[in-house]
Amino acid sequence: MAHSAGDGEGPHAGPDEDLRRLKADYDNYRRRVHRDRLAVREIAVSNVLGRLLPVLDAIDRARVAGEVVDGFGAVADLLETELGSLGLQSFGEPGDAFDPVLHLAVGYTRSTVVTEPICIEVVRTGYRVGDQLLRPAEVVVAEPPPGPV
């Protein structure tokens, strides 16, 4: 079958087809660059936020000790708000179902009041950015006693 110059096949494709291919290549390039820039941004934000976790831990310890008051309290609140606006999310609360993907068990006990493994104490808060886990929450877990064998 003979190909005409404008059907987009063969070495003699018409100028319109060449322009369409060039535009498609450029559109693909733009999408790829945009996707790569977003990925680099996410990695950079995650790296910076990960480096700030010890600061948040120090603020948490100061809160427990009752030392986060007045101006320091305002600074701590503002820091947490700004980090949240960058996508930082804390997690790990007493009563959460234990999830080995999100929680690191640093203590363990058996309890007759639970029906599944539950976090009963949070030793260190966990953090994530979007779907990326920065640090698991360190927790003490309560599990029901073993059933009859």
Side-chain angles (χ1 to χ4, degrees), residues 63-76:
R63 272 200 178 100
V64 169
E67 298 171 354
V68 179
V69 294
D70 301 329
F72 182 60
V75 170

Side-chain angles (χ1 to χ4, degrees), residues 25-120:
D25 286 344
Y26 179 69
D27 288 343
N28 288 335
Y29 168 77
R30 276 193 354 217
R31 281 191 289 272
R32 190 170 51 252
V33 166
H34 179 70
R35 184 181 61 237
D36 291 349
R37 282 184 182 158
L38 289 176
V40 167
R41 180 188 180 281
E42 287 176 13
I43 291 168
V45 168
S46 294
N47 287 339
V48 169
L49 293 177
R51 300 285 305 257
L52 289 172
L53 296 185
V55 175
L56 294 175
D57 292 340
I59 290 171
D60 285 344
R61 286 190 301 274
R63 272 200 178 100
V64 169
E67 298 171 354
V68 179
V69 294
D70 301 329
F72 182 60
V75 170
D77 292 343
L78 182 59
L79 175 64
E80 291 169 342
T81 299
E82 291 302 316
L83 295 178
S85 72
L86 292 172
L88 185 67
Q89 302 169 339
S90 64
F91 64 91
E93 296 290 329
D96 287 352
F98 176 71
D99 180 348
V101 172
L102 299 176
H103 303 108
L104 175 64
V106 296
Y108 172 81
T109 187
R110 294 220 184 248
S111 173
T112 58
V113 297
V114 299
T115 58
E116 63 180 350
I118 298 291
C119 303
I120 58 171

